[in-house]
Amino acid sequence: MPPRLPTGCSAQLVNCLDRSSLCTTQRAATAAGRPSWPSPATQQSSAFSTTAPRDLTINQRRFWKWARKGLGKTLRSPKPGQTNYMPSGSNSSRADVPFPTNPAFRSSPVLSDEARERIWENVMKKGLPLKAVSARHGVDMRRVAAVIRLKELEKAWEAQGKPMAIPYSKAVLSMVPTHDCAPDSPPFEAINEMHVHSYTQQQIFLPTSESRHFTRADAAKAFGEKILPPEKKMWVPELLQLEKDIASGVGIQEARSRFLQATAKSELEMAEKHAKKDAIANEENVRVNTDRFQFRFEGISVDSSGKTGRHIRGVGWRYGVPHNDRKPGAVKIPTKVE
Amino acid sequence: MVVKIRLARFGRSNSPFYNIVVTHARTARGSRPLEVLGTYDPVPKKDTYDPDSKPHKDIKLDVTRAKYWIGVGAQPTDTAHRILAMAGIMKPKVRQGTPVTPIRMAH
């Protein structure tokens, strides 16, 4: 336990701050011919040093010279709408290299507030499907969903009159490269990047007849039962049909409207699937309100405890098995917050 | 022997947790039951993201198995009966007369 300050110490601290009083105490002590070891009171007051600060080191002096007269001077007045990264040596600075000695590090742009507002309006006001908005602006589906969730939260807070850190947000966004998702701007990121399953990284010798039309779906099946071909795995598979339509001579407008319909349909199907799942869950998970509490029932299966009744996924306190918090070496620090 | 549906207390001191069990009436509370129908956590909790909500208690229950055991004559205890009544398996027991609120005595 750290030593505590004794009571009445605040008065002493006030004394210490007054340098003249400190000196008089010291002088008085010496005059009285007492040993140089200070009394507890003086010891505490001498915790504040009166030594002059150290001179700047050579590197510090070089830094200040650089900051006042050298390249650092140009960083003082950042140009609006541009990043204020350090110039890389003799060459002029590049807009996306924040660390001049590490040119391999490129800072990627973030969505500006206008871009986020545009995405929110497209989905929530115009009612466009997420997939279509994602494809239109070249923003990942998950990012589109996150933008909408956060924008909704922001608008809810605005309605509640909660204070928001807008100057902070503006300051941060002015320092990093941003992307505004304007209709004519290039895509923000690659939206159809897929996770490479480790099963697909092996070489397989699969004998098949020459006459067989071996498709990507067949290849996926050869790698594993649950492996999907890329056209099913991609985030916006409807883009394939769009490209096929355009290649086969359908007009761009027509192809785009077909794409919109297809994405809307897939979104509707997904919503229905979720609604069905929720309905089943609601049927099992009854909620009973009493005066003070709500009782939440959750349906389970007694079979989850297995033949012996001791399976780890079994419901309830297990019989004949030490509880987790009694096991040696078990980590008891929670790994998530609900 | 009578088969009962009752609660078996687990958990630690001051943090109770119950298994809802089907067991023979004369066996010990913590002994291995015929079947674990579910759990009852009597400690009321609040939703993390909705602190104004009513505190809730979590119950897990295999309704199909509970109905089966009732059907073959298992007798729920009063507490188990209350839980099964909330789940819609038993008829709730109606109290005789109006409930009397305890009178707070002046110190």
Side-chain angles (χ1 to χ4, degrees), chain A residues 290 296 298 302 308 325, chain B residues 12 19 32 54 57 59 62:
Chain A
T290 59
R296 291 186 183 169
E298 191 187 321
V302 291
T308 54
D325 64 2
Chain B
R12 304 264 172 261
N19 273 3
R32 204 189 173 97
K54 204 182 251 188
K57 298 185 177 188
I59 300 172
D62 187 335

Side-chain angles (χ1 to χ4, degrees), chain A residues 305 309-324 327, chain B residues 10 19 36:
Chain A
S305 57
R310 293 169 67 157
H311 195 273
I312 196 153
R313 293 212 187 90
V315 169
W317 216 268
R318 290 150 73 211
Y319 292 85
V321 187
H323 192 242
N324 260 348
K327 272 185 201 158
Chain B
F10 286 91
N19 273 3
V36 182

Side-chain angles (χ1 to χ4, degrees), chain A:
Chain A
M1 206 169 125
R4 289 185 181 167
L5 284 176
T7 46
C9 121
S10 54
Q12 284 165 13
L13 285 177
V14 173
N15 280 339
C16 302
L17 293 173
D18 186 1
R19 190 181 281 185
S20 59
S21 73
L22 180 70
C23 295
T24 40
T25 341
Q26 278 171 351
R27 244 178 269 133
T30 343
R34 267 183 266 157
S36 58
W37 195 256
S39 68
T42 21
Q43 218 178 1
Q44 270 186 358
S45 55
S46 68
F48 289 93
S49 170
T50 51
T51 322
R54 274 177 69 190
D55 286 341
L56 292 179
T57 61
I58 191 158
N59 281 337
Q60 281 170 333
R61 258 183 278 137
R62 276 181 193 153
F63 166 74
W64 282 112
K65 194 179 167 194
W66 175 88
R68 290 194 181 115
K69 292 175 186 169
L71 284 170
K73 198 180 165 187
T74 53
L75 298 174
R76 283 211 170 178
S77 45
K79 288 169 197 160
Q82 279 182 25
T83 54
N84 195 25
Y85 292 156
M86 247 194 316
S88 50
S90 53
N91 300 331
S92 60
S93 66
R94 279 211 303 256
D96 57 349
V97 180
F99 308 113
T101 51
N102 182 6
F105 186 103
R106 312 285 290 273
S107 75
S108 1
V110 297
L111 290 176
S112 67
D113 195 45
E114 297 86 67
R116 282 181 270 143
E117 192 67 37
R118 201 165 278 153
I119 288 172
W120 179 84
E121 260 179 26
N122 276 336
V123 175
M124 300 305 291
K125 288 207 166 162
K126 294 183 190 165
L128 293 175
L130 282 196
K131 278 180 178 175
V133 175
S134 164
R136 185 170 172 184
H137 297 303
V139 180
D140 194 293
M141 282 257 287
R142 289 162 290 181
R143 202 185 299 281
V144 170
V147 163
I148 292 161
R149 279 198 294 269
L150 289 173
K151 267 283 161 195
E152 283 288 299
L153 191 68
E154 186 189 323
K155 284 174 199 297
W157 281 9
E158 254 177 16
Q160 285 171 27
K162 277 195 180 180
M164 279 186 276
I166 289 166
Y168 172 77
S169 151
K170 274 187 182 164
V172 169
L173 284 174
S174 71
M175 283 189 267
V176 292
T178 53
H179 188 272
D180 59 0
C181 283
D184 53 343
S185 59
F188 175 68
E189 59 193 336
I191 55 166
N192 270 333
E193 274 185 0
M194 280 171 276
H195 169 69
V196 178
H197 198 283
S198 60
Y199 280 20
T200 60
Q201 287 181 317
Q202 55 184 328
Q203 288 188 356
I204 290 177
F205 182 75
L206 187 82
T208 174
S209 65
E210 251 181 66
S211 57
R212 186 178 166 193
H213 187 58
F214 199 77
T215 59
R216 276 193 292 267
D218 297 327
K221 196 145 258 182
F223 280 123
E225 275 303 308
K226 288 186 177 174
I227 302 294
L228 293 173
E231 60 261 31
K232 283 198 177 165
K233 211 174 165 189
M234 50 203 283
W235 287 98
V236 193
E238 289 81 2
L239 278 173
L240 282 176
Q241 194 55 45
L242 175 73
E243 291 301 324
K244 278 179 192 166
D245 281 351
I246 291 170
S248 66
V250 179
I252 287 186
Q253 288 299 326
E254 170 62 18
R256 276 190 184 156
S257 75
R258 280 187 199 174
F259 171 72
L260 262 184
Q261 281 169 8
T263 46
K265 194 184 158 207
S266 85
E267 199 168 277
L268 198 71
E269 276 167 7
M270 197 174 173
E272 278 170 3
K273 202 171 139 193
H274 275 280
K276 221 176 187 179
K277 208 174 163 189
D278 285 350
I280 291 169
N282 279 341
E283 211 169 279
E284 281 180 1
N285 303 345
V286 183
R287 293 182 173 196
V288 180
N289 280 308
T290 59
D291 287 351
R292 290 173 64 196
F293 304 114
Q294 185 181 56
F295 288 86
R296 291 186 183 169
F297 285 81
E298 191 187 321
I300 55 127
S301 167
V302 291
D303 298 331
S304 62
S305 57
K307 262 185 190 172
T308 54
R310 293 169 67 157
H311 195 273
I312 196 153
R313 293 212 187 90
V315 169
W317 216 268
R318 290 150 73 211
Y319 292 85
V321 187
H323 192 242
N324 260 348
D325 64 2
R326 294 280 183 201
K327 272 185 201 158
V331 180
K332 291 161 193 105
I333 305 163
T335 51
K336 66 167 185 178
V337 178
E338 247 178 57

